[in-house]
Amino acid sequence: MTDDESRLLVEAIQEHSGITLATNSGFFLERRLSSRLDALGLSSYLDYYQYLRYDPSGPREMEELVERITTHETYLFREQYQLEAFSEEIMPALAKRLERQQRIQVWSAGCSTGEEVYTIAMLLLESGLFRGWNIRVMGSDISRKVLATARAAVYGENSFRTTSPALRRKYFVEANGRWTVRDDVRALCSFGQLNLISTERFRVLGPQDVIFCRNVLMYLSQESRHNVVEAFYDRLTPGGYLLLGHSESLLNVTTRFDLAHLQKDLVYRKPPTATEPSSY
């Protein structure tokens, strides 16, 4: 792959998904995409770029490209300290604030194969704070393939590396060495394909009380990160929370969020309305 071919592909990827790669990513792209040239009968990466841009099947191929360059590493109950902050501090605050409407909505943006969505649903059930409430946990991802896995809700041993045996027995059904999420947990959850830089589409999700977007923003360009974070703010209800990955922060992103200093984590909060007291 020539430097020019690498640059063109990097620009096309960023334009489509907001994902930013170094302009010298030729070797990485070649390793991930060489089989696509063979499959499409193309002789160069310039031809591949032209295919992405101008062939009627280009948009579908761009989805395949993004699938091949993104990482989908995840597992149940990941980043335990943050989940403890969610359970011990955020959920009680939300239960009090939302008591009148008895409805809570949580969005996992960039949910990969769904473990985070089911983790959130299990934590909401475990808390006992939302019995009889309308609970909705939504997962979105740019990849249709990982969403198919998420909807199937069947996981192997690798997904349980930090899950207690008690929770596994309580919320999963085992068959032939694979574990399926229990139906009552799955009933709280839904999944949809969404490219995060298509922020105008966020409106269809409705208002959210918590947004998890962990280890996603770090892959986006500065401009895309800003636009996505601002759109998250607009989706959150007043007093709602944004939880990022442990290696991410909004320090370099101009934002309307307040920084909430919890006992076990730092998270971002949309300021409450003037009539509602701030808990943190």
Side-chain angles (χ1 to χ4, degrees):
M1 183 182 295
T2 67
D3 289 345
D4 282 344
E5 289 171 329
S6 174
R7 176 181 55 78
L8 287 170
L9 288 174
V10 166
E11 289 174 358
I13 291 165
Q14 182 165 319
E15 181 183 317
H16 170 74
S17 65
I19 296 171
T20 182
L21 298 172
T23 52
N24 61 348
S25 298
F27 179 66
F28 167 76
L29 290 171
E30 207 165 332
R31 279 192 300 124
R32 300 295 177 97
L33 300 176
S34 60
S35 63
R36 295 307 302 155
L37 268 67
D38 295 337
L40 297 169
L42 301 174
S43 57
S44 73
Y45 286 96
L46 181 58
D47 290 342
Y48 185 64
Y49 171 79
Q50 300 282 357
Y51 183 93
L52 290 169
R53 284 292 195 195
Y54 305 116
D55 193 276
S57 298
R60 177 64 69 174
E61 181 59 30
M62 179 58 81
E63 289 190 12
E64 180 66 32
L65 188 164
V66 171
E67 180 76 42
R68 287 169 177 260
I69 66 167
T70 48
T71 301
H72 301 303
E73 167 68 12
T74 187
Y75 49 91
L76 293 150
F77 297 94
R78 188 180 188 184
E79 297 187 19
Q80 188 65 37
Y81 71 93
Q82 188 177 72
L83 296 179
E84 289 174 1
F86 176 60
S87 295
E88 298 169 12
E89 300 178 78
I90 292 175
M91 282 200 285
L94 290 174
K96 183 177 180 180
R97 179 165 67 82
L98 304 173
E99 184 175 11
R100 182 172 298 177
Q101 66 192 61
Q102 299 217 334
R103 176 186 178 91
I104 184 168
Q105 297 210 138
V106 183
W107 174 21
S108 168
C111 70
S112 187
T113 44
E115 285 95 329
E116 181 170 275
V117 172
Y118 296 122
T119 295
I120 294 165
M122 292 174 209
L123 290 174
L124 291 169
L125 292 173
E126 279 293 292
S127 73
L129 295 169
F130 307 101
R131 289 194 181 95
W133 286 39
N134 184 340
I135 298 172
R136 298 304 306 161
V137 186
M138 169 70 185
S140 71
D141 202 277
I142 194 172
S143 166
R144 297 179 195 276
K145 290 185 178 178
V146 297
L147 291 173
T149 300
R151 291 187 183 103
V154 181
Y155 298 104
E157 217 41 62
N158 197 47
S159 294
F160 292 92
R161 63 190 83 168
T162 59
T163 305
S164 72
L167 285 175
R168 192 196 300 213
R169 287 192 301 270
K170 185 173 182 179
Y171 290 110
F172 293 83
V173 177
E174 191 271 338
N176 302 318
R178 306 279 289 173
W179 297 76
T180 302
V181 180
R182 217 172 62 188
D183 286 346
D184 59 329
V185 179
R186 295 174 69 179
L188 307 178
C189 305
S190 59
F191 297 91
Q193 195 267 346
L194 180 64
N195 183 340
L196 283 182
I197 69 166
S198 300
T199 53
E200 71 282 355
R201 292 186 58 203
F202 289 12
R203 289 193 299 272
V204 304
L205 302 177
Q208 303 294 321
D209 301 302
V210 185
I211 298 175
F212 284 78
C213 187
R214 305 199 291 178
N215 308 309
V216 176
L217 295 180
M218 57 197 279
Y219 296 110
L220 301 185
S221 66
Q222 184 75 11
E223 180 184 4
S224 296
R225 200 177 305 145
H226 170 77
N227 292 338
V228 169
V229 167
E230 286 299 298
F232 283 159
Y233 184 95
D234 292 336
R235 275 302 93 214
L236 281 168
T237 55
Y241 296 85
L242 172 64
L243 280 66
L244 303 180
H246 67 273
S247 59
E248 299 172 304
S249 77
L250 300 182
L251 290 177
N252 297 316
V253 178
T254 304
T255 175
R256 295 170 282 169
F257 280 102
D258 290 338
L259 186 61
H261 294 261
L262 307 183
Q263 292 181 7
K264 294 191 175 181
D265 199 13
L266 294 175
V267 302
Y268 297 92
R269 191 183 190 213
K270 183 172 181 174
T273 58
T275 57
E276 180 186 348
S278 178
S279 302
Y280 302 105

